[in-house]
Amino acid sequence: MAPSTLFRSEEMSLIQLYIPAEVAQPSVAELGELGKVQFRDLNPEVNAFQRSFVSEIRRLDEMERQCRFLQTQLQKNEIPTRPLTPAAYRSRARSAQEVDDLEETLKEYESRISQMNSSYESLQRRYLQLTELRHVLRESSGFFEQADSRQDTLRNSFDEHDDSAPLLENDAEQAHFNIENLHLGYVTGVIARSRIQTFERVLWRSLRGNLYMKSAEIDEPIVDPDTDSVVDKNVFCIFAHGTEIIAKIKKISESLGGTLYGIDDSADKRRDALLEVTSRIEDLNNVLSTTNQTRRSELIKVSENVTAWTTIVRKEKAIYHTMNLFNYDVNRKCLIAEGWVPTNDIPLVQQALKEATDASGTSLPSILTELNTKKTRPTYHRTNKFTEGFQGIIDAYGIARYREVNPGLFTIISFPFLFAMMFGDIGHGALLFLIALYLCVNEKKLASNNGEIFKMFFGGRYMMLMMGIFSIFTGAIYNDMFSLSLNVFKSGFDLPSNYTSTESVEMIPNGDVYAFGFDPAWHGAENFLLFSNSYKMKQAIVVGVIHMSFAVCLNVFNHIYYKRKAFVWLEFLPQILFMESIFGYLIFCIMYKWSVNWWELDSEGHHIRNAPPNLLNMLIYMFLTPGKVNPEEQLYPGQGPVQLILILLAVVCVPWMWFGKPFYLKKEASKHHYASVAVDDDEDEDEEQPMIQGTSHEEDDEGEEEFEFSEVMIHQTIHTIEFCLNCISNTASYLRLWALSLAHAQLSSVLWDMTIKLWFNMTGVVAVVGLVIGFALWFTLTLGILLCMEGLSAFLHALRLMWVEFDGKFYNGDGIKFEPFTFIDILEPTTNNE
């Protein structure tokens, strides 16, 4: 049994369980609480609606719907639910009688609350109608008075026969018109205020202006019982002549959502009706208040238990969904299950099964058998709260192949360091460290915050902590703290004795070397960018080549573990030799150039060595003129022959990578073919033997693909070209470490100069106020731009370097994720909703 490490995934075993039918449900419940078994579907050909426990699942679906209904009612009435306690979360499996009792309880509560809702809605509708009718009666008295006055005016106009008489006065239809028979009909009602203009326009066009309409706003908020939203409404009263016109007005009103109310044209009767409606509204208000209090008290009782009920129902539903994956042995009256489990956790699974059997009081134990199989095993990395964030980065790129080297282990150090190389600043690193430290110290209190963005940061709190620590370290190397330098140790440069502050001076080396990081004398110097850019560029190349070389070396562990030792010689060795003969040599030249004092003088005051050569030109001419080096640009003696040997070695490695592996695989395939032919007779005899216990019930052989040399050769050709080109492009990709570090330092410097430094040349109240405002602005922009935006940029670039440049060298990432049956994932939606 292999120990649990993050270097490789856990060893997985395929187990077979024989669970007696009477303890199947509590046994699966215990395994769900344990969360260590990924069950396999033993009935893939059976339809989901034809499985053994479909009726139980449908029943639990209905119970879950009832729980959702109760939770919706609680949210609608703004009643908080009781949170789920740890004891209730890890509750035992429920018996059939307990589930039946819960079903009856849910039905009873749903029925009562539905009945109360229906009664309350009908009362609300009646209240709405009475309220609208009261406003119609109240506003209509003024409408009728205005209509009567207009009617009198109209009669007078007919009598006077003046210029204001209707144009159709002499029409044939008007010949028999009796002015005494002029009597207006009316339609009263209520309509939404948002539709009143449309209503008026439609009426005017439909009736050609043959109407008199008045409307008034209802100042009281009207609640729509269907949507529980407040709707602004208007009372309208329309006067017109003729039964057909009145009927058309009613149809138009109803089509636009208006509600019509019939009232009497007698003022006394309207006054009596208004008094009666007001009295009924008061009575209805009392009934509504009583109904609402009764419903609320009922919902408060529900709120005490609805979370626990939902948890029980979801657990039971998940248990039966899992049991549908099992086979049922009719003769033995037991369920047969298969699943993957970490080998180290098999004793825990056995203990869980034993506890379920003991709790049920039966004497029939569950049987666990470990099967031998050649099936592809799932990948499971055992992580904790510190390592899960780093492992999540790798899983986002791809799930590791079973037992291959896991980059997550090296990500713990390399990812924060790459980030820090771009984010190197003591002050910014300290701020990032303090934010992460706060999240780590208060993690229990903050774990309940379910904000989407917050949970993303909270999940990576330990990663942020490491990023902050490494940023402080690299900031100390750069001697950079909020764009200022720290003079901790003795500087290696002195100012000349006679100089003025207005002129440029050349500092004099004093023979000392600054103990750690950049000498503070460089900060503020005119050639500081030339010095820092040169250093950071070379630093990026050195770190990048070492990072990629280490990734290539990790292939050795994979080849040895998968028993492909020949690939160490046919694939790893030419790759590492090719990379080191070019880029490893470049690192050696950088280190050598750093270690030599190029300005050393002899006793006569002459330079001992030539000027330091340009390494980029040296690398270019290494290929253009192999074996030849200009003496004026020579880095070390014997440089030409060494470079010629390295170029020849790199050239040899290309066909070595290209042809070695395909021809080796062809040879192995031939051996395998001859061996298969030799044992054909033995296999024919073995096919007639029944399957023995201890092997999977399905075929283990997943079918080996026939070896095609052409396909392997094409694949290896692409792989060889890709590796050679990637060695160049990926090395250049690490220059982002230099570029982002430069951008971060310059942005920090500009921010300091533009917000705080400019006030140092002033005095008095203006300087004090300016410093206060400048500091507030500087701190805000530091958090918003440098920490958030620049930090996110550095994070993404470091992520790309880990995924493409590092993982791409050895990591397959084509594995199957281990997804055990666990109640934690099933109950996660409940937790989030709370």
Side-chain angles (χ1 to χ4, degrees):
M1 186 180 296
S4 297
T5 64
L6 205 59
F7 183 69
R8 294 189 189 277
S9 60
E10 292 279 316
E11 286 190 356
M12 305 296 292
S13 298
L14 181 63
I15 60 171
Q16 190 175 56
L17 301 176
Y18 289 87
I19 308 174
E22 55 266 28
V23 296
Q25 192 258 1
S27 297
V28 175
E30 283 293 330
L31 295 178
E33 298 289 355
L34 183 63
K36 297 294 183 182
V37 183
Q38 177 182 330
F39 291 102
R40 298 179 61 243
D41 189 0
L42 303 183
N43 309 295
E45 71 285 350
V46 179
N47 189 287
F49 299 100
Q50 297 175 343
R51 302 208 174 193
S52 304
F53 301 99
V54 172
S55 58
E56 286 85 353
I57 291 174
R58 286 177 176 170
R59 176 189 176 194
L60 290 166
D61 275 335
E62 177 63 18
M63 294 171 66
E64 187 177 13
R65 183 199 61 78
Q66 293 167 345
C67 289
R68 287 198 303 270
F69 168 77
L70 295 176
Q71 288 177 333
T72 303
Q73 294 300 312
L74 291 171
Q75 293 175 0
K76 190 175 179 181
N77 289 271
E78 298 180 352
I79 299 175
T81 58
R82 184 179 180 181
L84 192 65
T85 60
Y89 179 84
R90 195 175 162 73
S91 58
R92 60 177 176 79
R94 305 292 171 173
S95 63
Q97 182 61 43
E98 289 174 320
V99 175
D100 291 341
D101 294 341
L102 178 58
E103 184 181 21
E104 291 299 323
T105 301
L106 291 173
K107 282 182 179 179
E108 183 179 352
Y109 274 115
E110 183 191 27
S111 175
R112 286 209 300 266
I113 292 175
S114 297
Q115 186 176 0
M116 290 181 189
N117 286 343
S118 177
S119 175
Y120 189 78
E121 287 177 5
S122 62
L123 289 173
Q124 270 191 320
R125 287 192 176 87
R126 186 57 184 158
Y127 177 79
L128 173 65
Q129 293 172 358
L130 292 174
T131 303
E132 292 178 347
L133 179 57
R134 183 184 63 181
H135 284 282
V136 169
L137 290 169
R138 184 180 298 171
E139 301 291 342
S140 61
S141 58
F143 297 160
F144 276 93
E145 290 176 0
Q146 295 178 17
D148 290 341
S149 65
R150 284 183 64 89
Q151 194 172 17
D152 294 339
T153 303
L154 185 61
R155 286 194 180 97
N156 294 334
S157 67
F158 275 108
D159 294 336
E160 295 174 0
H161 298 284
D162 57 5
D163 295 338
S164 62
L167 294 177
L168 301 178
E169 180 179 10
N170 299 321
D171 190 78
E173 295 180 4
Q174 297 288 337
H176 305 287
F177 182 76
N178 187 358
I179 192 64
E180 299 297 331
N181 294 332
L182 180 63
H183 180 72
L184 296 177
Y186 60 89
V187 177
T188 56
V190 174
I191 194 170
R193 191 172 302 166
S194 59
R195 296 184 177 181
I196 190 68
Q197 293 183 353
T198 305
F199 184 43
E200 291 176 350
R201 191 178 301 113
V202 171
L203 285 173
W204 182 265
R205 292 179 178 176
S206 300
L207 305 180
R208 299 180 181 178
N210 295 317
L211 77 157
Y212 173 67
M213 178 176 177
K214 293 293 292 183
S215 65
E217 295 182 356
I218 299 177
D219 54 0
E220 181 181 352
I222 303 296
V223 179
D224 188 352
D226 294 327
T227 61
D228 283 338
S229 59
V230 178
V231 181
D232 296 326
K233 291 192 175 183
N234 280 23
V235 174
F236 66 85
C237 185
I238 305 171
F239 297 91
H241 179 68
T243 56
E244 292 184 2
I245 293 178
I246 295 296
K248 181 179 281 190
I249 292 173
K250 290 181 179 180
K251 288 182 180 180
I252 293 173
S253 302
E254 292 173 351
S255 66
L256 290 175
T259 307
L260 303 180
Y261 294 98
I263 61 174
D264 200 282
D265 55 359
S266 171
D268 295 334
K269 291 183 179 180
R270 289 199 304 270
R271 190 179 305 107
D272 295 339
L274 179 61
L275 294 175
E276 181 184 356
V277 168
T278 305
S279 175
R280 291 170 64 184
I281 287 176
E282 291 177 357
D283 296 338
L284 196 57
N285 261 329
N286 296 331
V287 176
L288 278 170
S289 177
T290 304
T291 305
N292 190 36
Q293 289 178 359
T294 305
R295 182 178 64 172
R296 189 171 182 84
S297 61
E298 194 78 11
L299 288 173
I300 289 174
K301 294 179 184 178
V302 172
S303 67
E304 295 292 324
N305 301 305
V306 66
T307 306
W309 293 341
T310 305
T311 302
I312 293 170
V313 170
R314 285 185 173 174
K315 281 187 175 182
E316 293 294 322
K317 183 179 173 183
I319 289 170
Y320 284 108
H321 268 299
T322 303
M323 290 169 62
N324 270 338
L325 305 177
F326 302 168
N327 273 338
Y328 182 68
D329 191 331
V330 180
N331 297 326
R332 301 179 185 177
K333 294 184 179 180
C334 67
L335 292 173
I336 303 173
E338 287 185 9
W340 298 104
V341 62
T343 305
N344 293 337
D345 292 334
I346 289 180
L348 296 178
V349 176
Q350 293 173 329
Q351 180 63 27
L353 293 173
K354 184 177 182 301
E355 290 176 358
T357 303
D358 296 341
S360 63
T362 182
S363 59
L364 298 175
S366 299
I367 300 173
L368 186 150
T369 306
E370 189 172 352
L371 304 178
N372 297 321
T373 182
K374 295 180 181 178
K375 295 183 181 298
T376 303
R377 300 169 190 258
T379 300
Y380 170 58
H381 293 105
R382 200 181 301 271
T383 58
N384 52 36
K385 61 183 180 181
F386 177 77
T387 58
E388 64 180 352
F390 297 98
Q391 188 61 48
I393 288 178
I394 301 303
D395 290 344
Y397 176 75
I399 303 300
R401 183 179 293 181
Y402 177 68
R403 298 289 288 170
E404 78 168 321
V405 174
N406 177 29
L409 177 64
F410 314 106
T411 305
I412 296 174
I413 298 297
S414 59
F415 179 79
F417 183 70
L418 292 174
F419 171 87
M421 289 181 65
M422 296 177 277
F423 198 74
D425 188 288
I426 297 174
H428 299 153
L431 289 176
L432 183 61
F433 172 78
L434 291 175
I435 294 172
L437 185 64
Y438 173 79
L439 295 177
C440 295
V441 172
N442 300 281
E443 59 185 14
K444 291 184 179 179
K445 181 174 65 176
L446 299 173
S448 58
N449 191 327
N450 292 317
E452 184 177 355
I453 296 179
F454 177 81
K455 285 188 74 69
M456 180 175 62
F457 284 100
F458 183 75
R461 59 193 181 280
Y462 288 100
M463 188 186 306
M464 292 168 58
L465 191 73
M466 295 290 289
M467 288 155 56
I469 293 173
F470 277 93
S471 295
I472 295 173
F473 171 73
T474 54
I477 293 178
Y478 301 155
N479 200 354
D480 204 353
M481 182 174 181
F482 298 125
S483 78
L484 303 176
S485 62
L486 298 177
N487 200 342
V488 180
F489 308 106
K490 181 174 175 57
S491 175
F493 296 89
D494 292 330
L495 288 170
S497 56
N498 51 350
Y499 76 97
T500 59
S501 59
T502 58
E503 63 181 8
S504 299
V505 296
E506 183 176 346
M507 300 187 74
I508 304 170
N510 56 19
D512 295 326
V513 177
Y514 198 71
F516 184 81
F518 282 12
D519 195 311
W522 284 105
H523 282 267
E526 292 182 358
N527 57 345
F528 173 63
L529 279 180
L530 294 176
F531 167 74
S532 62
N533 280 350
S534 175
Y535 166 78
K536 291 180 179 180
M537 185 189 301
K538 293 180 175 64
Q539 174 188 257
I541 295 297
V542 170
V543 170
V545 173
I546 293 175
H547 198 218
M548 291 189 294
S549 299
F550 178 67
V552 173
C553 292
L554 291 176
N555 279 307
V556 176
F557 296 94
N558 284 334
H559 294 328
I560 293 176
Y561 178 82
Y562 292 121
K563 297 180 174 57
R564 303 179 308 205
K565 294 183 179 179
F567 287 5
V568 175
W569 308 100
L570 300 175
E571 191 172 58
F572 161 72
L573 193 57
Q575 286 181 352
I576 196 69
L577 289 177
F578 179 85
M579 178 174 286
E580 302 310 316
S581 63
I582 300 175
F583 300 101
Y585 174 68
L586 178 60
I587 291 181
F588 164 77
C589 293
I590 292 173
M591 297 294 187
Y592 182 83
K593 184 177 178 181
W594 278 346
S595 64
V596 172
N597 182 4
W598 295 94
W599 312 112
E600 185 179 1
L601 303 176
D602 57 14
S603 57
E604 298 180 358
H606 299 105
H607 289 289
I608 298 176
R609 298 177 180 85
N610 55 290
N614 186 304
L615 296 183
L616 180 60
N617 292 337
M618 183 207 73
L619 190 66
I620 294 173
Y621 284 105
M622 175 180 171
F623 291 92
L624 295 180
T625 58
K628 297 179 181 180
V629 178
N630 189 344
E632 296 180 356
E633 298 179 354
Q634 182 170 291
L635 185 68
Y636 59 89
Q639 181 179 351
V642 171
Q643 293 183 168
L644 180 61
I645 293 172
L646 292 176
I647 291 175
L648 292 176
L649 182 60
V651 171
V652 170
C653 288
V654 173
W656 189 354
M657 276 188 286
W658 192 354
F659 300 107
K661 183 177 176 180
F663 281 99
Y664 169 78
L665 292 175
K666 182 180 181 181
K667 180 181 177 183
E668 291 297 313
S670 301
K671 289 182 180 179
H672 179 71
H673 175 72
Y674 296 145
S676 299
V677 172
V679 297
D680 272 347
D681 295 337
D682 296 335
E683 289 182 352
D684 292 339
E685 295 177 2
D686 292 340
E687 286 176 357
E688 299 177 359
Q689 297 180 0
M691 181 182 64
I692 61 173
Q693 187 175 2
T695 59
S696 175
H697 79 290
E698 296 181 2
E699 291 291 332
D700 283 336
D701 294 334
E702 297 181 355
E704 296 184 2
E705 295 184 3
E706 185 178 353
F707 179 81
E708 287 287 344
F709 179 73
S710 59
E711 292 184 6
V712 174
M713 195 66 200
I714 292 172
H715 179 272
Q716 189 63 22
T717 301
I718 297 172
H719 179 71
T720 302
I721 296 173
E722 182 183 27
F723 178 82
C724 295
L725 294 179
N726 281 351
C727 285
I728 302 171
S729 62
N730 291 353
T731 303
S733 180
Y734 278 91
L735 291 175
R736 70 185 68 235
L737 298 174
W738 154 61
L740 266 78
S741 175
L742 173 65
H744 185 84
Q746 291 301 304
L747 189 58
S748 178
S749 177
V750 169
L751 197 60
W752 172 267
D753 293 342
M754 299 299 291
T755 56
I756 294 181
K757 186 178 178 180
L758 61 90
W759 301 104
F760 290 161
N761 296 325
M762 301 182 185
T763 57
V765 178
V766 175
V768 175
V769 174
L771 279 174
V772 172
I773 297 174
F775 177 79
L777 187 61
W778 170 82
F779 188 75
T780 303
L781 294 177
T782 296
L783 291 178
I785 297 179
L786 292 177
L787 251 66
C788 295
M789 295 178 62
E790 278 286 314
L792 179 61
S793 175
F795 179 90
L796 294 176
H797 282 282
L799 193 64
R800 181 243 149 79
L801 291 176
M802 287 301 304
W803 281 354
V804 179
E805 277 70 28
F806 183 72
D807 294 351
K809 296 292 184 294
F810 71 97
Y811 186 57
N812 292 298
D814 57 355
I816 302 171
K817 186 178 182 180
F818 177 61
E819 297 177 330
F821 167 61
T822 173
F823 290 139
I824 295 177
D825 296 337
I826 296 165
L827 299 178
E828 190 68 26
T830 303
T831 306
N832 289 341
N833 290 336
E834 294 171 4

